[in-house]
Amino acid sequence: MNIFKTTVVPLLLFGVLDIFGQSKKPISPPLVSHIFTADPSAHVFNGKIYIYPSHDIESPTAQNDDGGLFDMKDYHILSMDSPQSQTKDNGVALAINDVPWVGRQLWAPDAAFKNGTYYLYFPAKDKEDIFRIGVATSKNPVGPFKAEKEPIKGSYSIDPCVFKDKDGSFYIYFGGIWGGQLHRWNKNTYQANAKYPKKGEQARLPRIAKLSADMKSFSEEVKEVKILDENGNLFLEDNNDKRFFEAAWVHTYKGKYYFSYSTGDTHNICYAIGDSPYGPFTYKGIVLKPVSGWTNHHSIVEFKGKWYIYYHDTLISNKTHLRNIKVAELNYNPDGSIQTIDVKE
Ligand code: FUB
């Protein structure tokens, strides 16, 4: 696994990595290669870029729709002085044994900063194998983080994304169907035997809640986030190249709210635009076309006036559960639409 046996991979390695023989041309080299990383949530704190990714590891579990082979056990925070600079691995920031409520599977995290404290939000299965979202704090953006003893009350499913609005309020978005269990939650109530939506049924919607002042609880009941087509209708499960699956991310651009997400089984990162953090958001198109590997998960961040997308693929391992994160520049058209990135071009 330790291909370069280093914690820092210079971007100069781009091109050399073609020796791994992937079928799709990379638009960025992997940012680190001594560990497998995925689901990169990038933030600018104190003028530097901090990336909060999943830390993928080998697993004996067979691949299935429940995602059991994504059996991650800790988090490493990565940092970069700029998107073009070297990437530093700051070591283990939080480990599964440090979180009393967790049973297994530390999945895609996110982070936020408020009043001198960094907050790490992370989904994991509890001892009853139900995904919940936990929070951990640190005075340092790279940790170590100390987890709360219980998951956030009322939280469920996966892929938290924490967004700070212009008035200083923080909102958490979350949800993911299939392995992420979102389809088992109806009106915020768990139904263990609920099935995936069928063709013809309304697609499941991501969730939002405003965070309370202490950043460790929801200050309101969890609500659905509506993603509408150009006619103002909710997507059906049939629209699986456009409907929400997992990997929510929210950013603002020129006063508009951009909600981007993965379509899962069709592997797109799509986006929709709205006028409020709660939505509704209207579908606009594809940000990132399918990458190598089954999953597609990203974050979008502004750094010194330019925009970047952090994402992952499976260039190094060619295995869906052993991913590597990358970064590429993201560009807007004058009307605010995002120029689609296709790694095959
Ligand atoms: O990393 C585990 C899961 O894979 C994430 O939670 C999903 O978004 C997908 O990338």
Side-chain angles (χ1 to χ4, degrees):
M1 185 208 288
N2 288 349
I3 292 167
F4 295 108
K5 295 191 191 309
T6 171
T7 54
V8 170
V9 176
L11 292 186
L12 292 173
L13 284 174
F14 182 43
V16 176
L17 292 168
D18 284 345
I19 60 170
F20 292 102
Q22 69 147 17
S23 55
K24 295 170 186 172
K25 189 169 171 254
I27 54 172
S28 152
L31 296 183
V32 292
S33 57
H34 66 292
I35 56 172
F36 291 109
T37 53
D39 311 322
S41 294
H43 291 273
V44 178
F45 295 135
N46 303 319
K48 262 179 82 162
I49 296 170
Y50 292 91
I51 308 162
Y52 298 81
S54 300
H55 174 199
D56 287 353
I57 53 172
E58 265 300 2
S59 163
T61 314
Q63 186 164 350
N64 58 29
D65 287 353
D66 281 342
L69 83 172
F70 295 96
D71 197 13
M72 297 83 113
K73 300 199 186 310
D74 64 22
Y75 294 112
H76 287 227
I77 315 305
L78 310 177
S79 52
M80 309 177 85
D81 289 335
S82 76
Q84 294 76 27
S85 72
Q86 294 182 334
T87 306
K88 183 177 177 199
D89 174 2
N90 296 283
V92 176
L94 183 71
I96 196 163
N97 292 338
D98 301 331
V99 195
W101 62 267
V102 168
R104 61 181 179 137
Q105 294 180 289
L106 294 180
W107 280 17
D110 194 17
F113 174 71
K114 182 181 175 185
N115 295 342
T117 300
Y118 295 88
Y119 297 84
L120 181 72
Y121 297 87
F122 58 96
K125 282 184 180 156
D126 66 15
K127 310 275 189 206
E128 288 163 357
D129 241 20
I130 299 173
F131 267 114
R132 305 282 181 184
I133 297 170
V135 59
T137 55
S138 175
K139 290 292 173 193
N140 190 320
V142 299
F145 284 87
K146 184 162 174 42
E148 294 296 302
K149 290 194 173 56
E150 300 289 340
I152 297 175
K153 195 164 174 232
S155 70
Y156 54 86
S157 196
I158 60 165
D159 291 358
C161 159
V162 178
F163 166 74
K164 183 181 181 183
D165 204 3
K166 51 185 182 293
D167 66 356
S169 305
F170 286 85
Y171 297 88
I172 185 165
Y173 300 82
F174 58 91
I177 60 172
W178 293 22
Q181 303 178 342
L182 183 66
H183 55 283
R184 294 188 195 165
W185 290 88
N186 187 9
K187 300 194 168 99
N188 299 327
T189 304
Y190 187 67
Q191 298 170 329
N193 299 319
K195 299 271 180 273
Y196 304 130
K198 292 196 199 90
K199 293 241 156 109
E201 287 180 14
Q202 187 197 298
R204 296 293 180 265
L205 296 170
R207 304 295 204 264
I208 182 174
K210 194 173 186 176
L211 287 171
S212 46
D214 72 358
M215 302 289 277
K216 295 177 181 172
S217 56
F218 299 162
S219 71
E220 61 184 8
E221 199 183 357
V222 171
K223 298 174 177 57
E224 291 183 335
V225 178
K226 290 193 170 67
I227 304 171
L228 308 174
D229 67 14
E230 67 274 22
N231 299 316
N233 298 317
L234 291 167
F235 287 118
L236 301 179
E237 184 58 22
D238 314 45
N239 311 116
N240 66 337
D241 59 338
K242 293 179 178 161
R243 62 93 170 89
F244 174 81
F245 187 101
E246 62 186 6
W249 187 260
V250 172
H251 73 280
T252 51
Y253 179 74
K254 294 194 174 168
K256 296 282 187 190
Y257 296 81
Y258 286 61
F259 183 92
S260 46
Y261 56 96
S262 170
T263 59
D265 55 342
T266 50
H267 321 292
N268 292 318
I269 299 292
C270 292
Y271 75 107
I273 296 181
D275 293 312
S276 152
Y278 290 101
F281 297 94
T282 301
Y283 179 86
K284 292 294 173 189
I286 297 176
V287 179
L288 177 64
K289 287 196 173 177
V291 296
S292 59
W294 197 94
T295 64
N296 200 353
H297 190 131
H298 70 301
S299 61
I300 294 170
V301 67
E302 184 180 18
F303 185 78
K304 297 193 173 164
K306 288 191 160 198
W307 287 85
Y308 298 90
I309 181 167
Y310 283 78
Y311 67 102
H312 67 230
D313 66 18
T314 57
L315 175 73
I316 293 176
S317 76
N318 209 23
K319 291 183 184 170
T320 246
H321 66 295
L322 298 176
R323 300 160 290 181
N324 47 258
I325 64 165
K326 297 180 167 185
V327 60
E329 196 172 334
L330 179 134
N331 291 295
Y332 298 87
N333 295 310
D335 65 358
S337 57
I338 292 176
Q339 293 176 11
T340 302
I341 297 169
D342 184 353
V343 291
K344 287 173 281 183
E345 282 177 347

